[in-house]
mmCIF file of all heavy atoms in Angstrom:
data_model
loop_
_atom_site.group_PDB
_atom_site.id
_atom_site.type_symbol
_atom_site.label_atom_id
_atom_site.label_comp_id
_atom_site.label_asym_id
_atom_site.label_seq_id
_atom_site.Cartn_x
_atom_site.Cartn_y
_atom_site.Cartn_z
ATOM 1 N N GLY A 233 87.096 88.711 116.477
ATOM 2 C CA GLY A 233 86.022 89.362 117.215
ATOM 3 C C GLY A 233 84.794 88.479 117.139
ATOM 4 O O GLY A 233 84.736 87.549 116.317
ATOM 5 N N GLY A 234 83.823 88.768 117.960
ATOM 6 C CA GLY A 234 82.625 87.943 117.961
ATOM 7 C C GLY A 234 81.880 88.043 116.643
ATOM 8 O O GLY A 234 82.148 88.935 115.828
ATOM 9 N N PRO A 235 80.933 87.123 116.449
ATOM 10 C CA PRO A 235 80.135 87.160 115.234
ATOM 11 C C PRO A 235 79.375 88.483 115.154
ATOM 12 O O PRO A 235 78.743 88.887 116.127
ATOM 13 C CB PRO A 235 79.147 85.997 115.413
ATOM 14 C CG PRO A 235 79.680 85.170 116.529
ATOM 15 C CD PRO A 235 80.540 86.045 117.368
ATOM 16 N N GLY A 236 79.474 89.166 114.034
ATOM 17 C CA GLY A 236 78.753 90.420 113.873
ATOM 18 C C GLY A 236 79.462 91.620 114.463
ATOM 19 O O GLY A 236 78.913 92.715 114.509
ATOM 20 N N LYS A 239 84.008 92.574 111.578
ATOM 21 C CA LYS A 239 85.300 92.170 111.008
ATOM 22 C C LYS A 239 85.301 92.318 109.479
ATOM 23 O O LYS A 239 86.224 92.875 108.898
ATOM 24 C CB LYS A 239 85.609 90.696 111.377
ATOM 25 C CG LYS A 239 85.650 90.431 112.879
ATOM 26 C CD LYS A 239 86.018 89.002 113.182
ATOM 27 C CE LYS A 239 85.011 87.953 112.736
ATOM 28 N NZ LYS A 239 83.712 87.974 113.430
ATOM 29 N N SER A 256 88.668 85.578 104.383
ATOM 30 C CA SER A 256 87.762 85.245 105.480
ATOM 31 C C SER A 256 87.666 83.731 105.612
ATOM 32 O O SER A 256 87.285 83.033 104.660
ATOM 33 C CB SER A 256 86.373 85.836 105.197
ATOM 34 O OG SER A 256 85.383 85.089 105.872
ATOM 35 N N ALA A 257 88.036 83.251 106.783
ATOM 36 C CA ALA A 257 87.984 81.798 107.008
ATOM 37 C C ALA A 257 86.556 81.297 106.825
ATOM 38 O O ALA A 257 86.315 80.248 106.222
ATOM 39 C CB ALA A 257 88.502 81.469 108.413
ATOM 40 N N GLY A 258 85.598 82.083 107.331
ATOM 41 C CA GLY A 258 84.194 81.682 107.207
ATOM 42 C C GLY A 258 83.780 81.591 105.739
ATOM 43 O O GLY A 258 83.110 80.640 105.324
ATOM 44 N N ASP A 259 84.205 82.570 104.944
ATOM 45 C CA ASP A 259 83.859 82.541 103.508
ATOM 46 C C ASP A 259 84.463 81.319 102.833
ATOM 47 O O ASP A 259 83.820 80.664 102.011
ATOM 48 C CB ASP A 259 84.369 83.811 102.802
ATOM 49 C CG ASP A 259 83.499 85.027 103.131
ATOM 50 O OD1 ASP A 259 82.426 84.843 103.744
ATOM 51 O OD2 ASP A 259 83.914 86.155 102.789
ATOM 52 N N LEU A 261 85.178 78.521 104.139
ATOM 53 C CA LEU A 261 84.445 77.319 104.551
ATOM 54 C C LEU A 261 83.086 77.260 103.856
ATOM 55 O O LEU A 261 82.640 76.194 103.417
ATOM 56 C CB LEU A 261 84.289 77.297 106.073
ATOM 57 C CG LEU A 261 85.603 77.078 106.846
ATOM 58 C CD1 LEU A 261 85.410 77.331 108.339
ATOM 59 C CD2 LEU A 261 86.129 75.665 106.623
ATOM 60 N N ARG A 262 82.452 78.408 103.747
ATOM 61 C CA ARG A 262 81.146 78.415 103.059
ATOM 62 C C ARG A 262 81.320 78.035 101.582
ATOM 63 O O ARG A 262 80.498 77.318 101.020
ATOM 64 C CB ARG A 262 80.468 79.788 103.207
ATOM 65 C CG ARG A 262 79.781 79.956 104.571
ATOM 66 C CD ARG A 262 79.030 81.275 104.681
ATOM 67 N NE ARG A 262 79.917 82.408 104.841
ATOM 68 C CZ ARG A 262 80.422 82.813 106.012
ATOM 69 N NH1 ARG A 262 80.089 82.190 107.123
ATOM 70 N NH2 ARG A 262 81.248 83.842 106.079
ATOM 71 N N MET A 278 78.428 72.029 110.815
ATOM 72 C CA MET A 278 79.154 72.654 111.933
ATOM 73 C C MET A 278 78.894 74.159 111.970
ATOM 74 O O MET A 278 78.715 74.746 113.033
ATOM 75 C CB MET A 278 80.651 72.364 111.821
ATOM 76 C CG MET A 278 80.963 70.890 111.967
ATOM 77 S SD MET A 278 82.714 70.566 112.080
ATOM 78 C CE MET A 278 82.956 70.770 113.849
ATOM 79 N N ILE A 279 78.849 74.764 110.802
ATOM 80 C CA ILE A 279 78.616 76.218 110.760
ATOM 81 C C ILE A 279 77.231 76.531 111.316
ATOM 82 O O ILE A 279 77.049 77.435 112.131
ATOM 83 C CB ILE A 279 78.771 76.752 109.321
ATOM 84 C CG1 ILE A 279 80.248 76.730 108.926
ATOM 85 C CG2 ILE A 279 78.196 78.162 109.202
ATOM 86 C CD1 ILE A 279 80.543 77.214 107.521
ATOM 87 N N GLY A 282 77.177 76.533 114.913
ATOM 88 C CA GLY A 282 78.118 77.427 115.586
ATOM 89 C C GLY A 282 79.356 76.721 116.079
ATOM 90 O O GLY A 282 80.064 77.222 116.948
ATOM 91 N N GLN A 283 79.635 75.546 115.513
ATOM 92 C CA GLN A 283 80.826 74.814 115.958
ATOM 93 C C GLN A 283 82.042 75.218 115.141
ATOM 94 O O GLN A 283 81.902 75.793 114.053
ATOM 95 C CB GLN A 283 80.595 73.305 115.788
ATOM 96 C CG GLN A 283 79.578 72.757 116.757
ATOM 97 C CD GLN A 283 79.207 71.331 116.383
ATOM 98 O OE1 GLN A 283 78.927 71.038 115.223
ATOM 99 N NE2 GLN A 283 79.211 70.456 117.361
ATOM 100 N N ILE A 284 83.181 74.853 115.651
ATOM 101 C CA ILE A 284 84.418 75.224 114.969
ATOM 102 C C ILE A 284 84.913 74.046 114.132
ATOM 103 O O ILE A 284 85.088 72.938 114.643
ATOM 104 C CB ILE A 284 85.484 75.666 115.994
ATOM 105 C CG1 ILE A 284 84.976 76.924 116.709
ATOM 106 C CG2 ILE A 284 86.811 75.929 115.296
ATOM 107 C CD1 ILE A 284 85.811 77.341 117.888
ATOM 108 N N VAL A 285 85.111 74.327 112.882
ATOM 109 C CA VAL A 285 85.568 73.295 111.945
ATOM 110 C C VAL A 285 87.008 72.913 112.309
ATOM 111 O O VAL A 285 87.793 73.782 112.710
ATOM 112 C CB VAL A 285 85.486 73.867 110.502
ATOM 113 C CG1 VAL A 285 86.090 72.915 109.490
ATOM 114 C CG2 VAL A 285 84.041 74.209 110.161
ATOM 115 N N THR A 290 90.561 74.188 107.914
ATOM 116 C CA THR A 290 90.586 75.639 107.712
ATOM 117 C C THR A 290 91.981 76.102 107.310
ATOM 118 O O THR A 290 92.128 76.931 106.403
ATOM 119 C CB THR A 290 90.139 76.349 109.003
ATOM 120 O OG1 THR A 290 89.018 75.654 109.542
ATOM 121 C CG2 THR A 290 89.757 77.779 108.728
ATOM 122 N N GLY A 313 88.540 85.981 111.106
ATOM 123 C CA GLY A 313 87.770 84.918 111.750
ATOM 124 C C GLY A 313 88.564 83.672 112.054
ATOM 125 O O GLY A 313 87.997 82.606 112.272
ATOM 126 N N PHE A 314 89.852 83.772 112.098
ATOM 127 C CA PHE A 314 90.732 82.658 112.426
ATOM 128 C C PHE A 314 91.959 83.224 113.118
ATOM 129 O O PHE A 314 92.413 84.295 112.724
ATOM 130 C CB PHE A 314 91.138 81.908 111.146
ATOM 131 C CG PHE A 314 92.007 80.715 111.421
ATOM 132 C CD1 PHE A 314 91.457 79.459 111.579
ATOM 133 C CD2 PHE A 314 93.380 80.867 111.568
ATOM 134 C CE1 PHE A 314 92.261 78.365 111.868
ATOM 135 C CE2 PHE A 314 94.183 79.780 111.872
ATOM 136 C CZ PHE A 314 93.627 78.535 112.018
ATOM 137 N N ARG A 316 90.286 80.308 115.732
ATOM 138 C CA ARG A 316 89.133 80.319 116.634
ATOM 139 C C ARG A 316 89.370 79.523 117.897
ATOM 140 O O ARG A 316 88.521 79.490 118.779
ATOM 141 C CB ARG A 316 87.913 79.775 115.896
ATOM 142 C CG ARG A 316 87.206 80.891 115.108
ATOM 143 C CD ARG A 316 86.082 80.355 114.310
ATOM 144 N NE ARG A 316 84.873 81.131 114.410
ATOM 145 C CZ ARG A 316 84.593 82.191 113.647
ATOM 146 N NH1 ARG A 316 85.472 82.662 112.805
ATOM 147 N NH2 ARG A 316 83.417 82.797 113.749
ATOM 148 N N GLN A 320 94.570 76.124 117.382
ATOM 149 C CA GLN A 320 94.613 76.477 115.955
ATOM 150 C C GLN A 320 95.652 77.580 115.730
ATOM 151 O O GLN A 320 96.284 77.636 114.675
ATOM 152 C CB GLN A 320 93.237 76.962 115.479
ATOM 153 C CG GLN A 320 92.190 75.874 115.436
ATOM 154 C CD GLN A 320 90.875 76.338 114.807
ATOM 155 O OE1 GLN A 320 90.628 77.530 114.674
ATOM 156 N NE2 GLN A 320 90.048 75.385 114.427
ATOM 157 N N ARG A 351 71.532 91.630 109.685
ATOM 158 C CA ARG A 351 72.265 91.067 108.546
ATOM 159 C C ARG A 351 71.534 89.850 107.985
ATOM 160 O O ARG A 351 71.505 89.606 106.788
ATOM 161 C CB ARG A 351 73.692 90.676 108.979
ATOM 162 C CG ARG A 351 74.567 90.212 107.831
ATOM 163 C CD ARG A 351 76.010 89.952 108.271
ATOM 164 N NE ARG A 351 76.160 88.676 108.969
ATOM 165 C CZ ARG A 351 77.300 88.224 109.472
ATOM 166 N NH1 ARG A 351 78.405 88.942 109.378
ATOM 167 N NH2 ARG A 351 77.358 87.064 110.073
ATOM 168 N N ARG A 357 72.704 83.593 105.082
ATOM 169 C CA ARG A 357 73.568 82.662 105.826
ATOM 170 C C ARG A 357 72.749 81.755 106.726
ATOM 171 O O ARG A 357 71.823 82.202 107.408
ATOM 172 C CB ARG A 357 74.605 83.454 106.644
ATOM 173 C CG ARG A 357 75.777 83.878 105.813
ATOM 174 C CD ARG A 357 76.778 84.696 106.595
ATOM 175 N NE ARG A 357 77.229 84.061 107.833
ATOM 176 C CZ ARG A 357 78.316 84.449 108.502
ATOM 177 N NH1 ARG A 357 79.055 85.432 108.027
ATOM 178 N NH2 ARG A 357 78.638 83.856 109.613
ATOM 179 N N ASP A 359 73.501 80.572 109.406
ATOM 180 C CA ASP A 359 73.730 80.750 110.841
ATOM 181 C C ASP A 359 73.340 82.140 111.347
ATOM 182 O O ASP A 359 73.579 82.471 112.503
ATOM 183 C CB ASP A 359 75.192 80.452 111.200
ATOM 184 C CG ASP A 359 76.172 81.326 110.429
ATOM 185 O OD1 ASP A 359 75.748 82.042 109.497
ATOM 186 O OD2 ASP A 359 77.382 81.292 110.765
ATOM 187 N N ARG A 368 76.706 80.377 118.478
ATOM 188 C CA ARG A 368 77.979 80.984 118.057
ATOM 189 C C ARG A 368 78.568 81.817 119.193
ATOM 190 O O ARG A 368 79.784 81.834 119.411
ATOM 191 C CB ARG A 368 77.753 81.850 116.818
ATOM 192 C CG ARG A 368 77.509 81.016 115.581
ATOM 193 C CD ARG A 368 76.756 81.789 114.532
ATOM 194 N NE ARG A 368 77.549 82.819 113.871
ATOM 195 C CZ ARG A 368 77.028 83.776 113.107
ATOM 196 N NH1 ARG A 368 75.721 83.826 112.914
ATOM 197 N NH2 ARG A 368 77.794 84.665 112.547
HETATM 198 O O1 UDP B 602 88.245 79.530 111.298
HETATM 199 C C1 UDP B 602 87.016 79.347 111.245
HETATM 200 C C2 UDP B 602 86.139 80.324 110.767
HETATM 201 C C3 UDP B 602 84.799 80.046 110.745
HETATM 202 N N1 UDP B 602 84.339 78.846 111.150
HETATM 203 C C4 UDP B 602 82.904 78.533 111.079
HETATM 204 O O2 UDP B 602 82.235 79.472 110.255
HETATM 205 C C5 UDP B 602 81.232 80.148 110.991
HETATM 206 C C6 UDP B 602 81.089 81.556 110.492
HETATM 207 O O3 UDP B 602 82.294 82.241 110.649
HETATM 208 P P1 UDP B 602 82.491 83.728 110.088
HETATM 209 O O4 UDP B 602 83.842 84.180 110.480
HETATM 210 O O5 UDP B 602 82.137 83.779 108.656
HETATM 211 O O6 UDP B 602 81.365 84.540 110.798
HETATM 212 P P2 UDP B 602 81.224 85.220 112.202
HETATM 213 O O7 UDP B 602 80.364 84.258 112.945
HETATM 214 O O8 UDP B 602 82.523 85.414 112.846
HETATM 215 O O9 UDP B 602 80.535 86.467 111.856
HETATM 216 C C7 UDP B 602 81.644 80.008 112.425
HETATM 217 O O10 UDP B 602 80.573 80.124 113.338
HETATM 218 C C8 UDP B 602 82.223 78.597 112.434
HETATM 219 O O11 UDP B 602 81.214 77.633 112.437
HETATM 220 C C9 UDP B 602 85.191 77.894 111.626
HETATM 221 O O12 UDP B 602 84.793 76.822 112.021
HETATM 222 N N2 UDP B 602 86.520 78.162 111.652
#
Side-chain angles (χ1 to χ4, degrees):
K239 302 183 294 294
S256 155
D259 285 351
L261 291 169
R262 280 184 286 276
M278 295 189 87
I279 288 179
Q283 290 170 312
I284 297 171
V285 174
T290 317
F314 182 93
R316 274 176 134 86
Q320 291 187 343
R351 186 175 78 181
R357 279 178 53 164
D359 58 351
R368 287 157 72 193

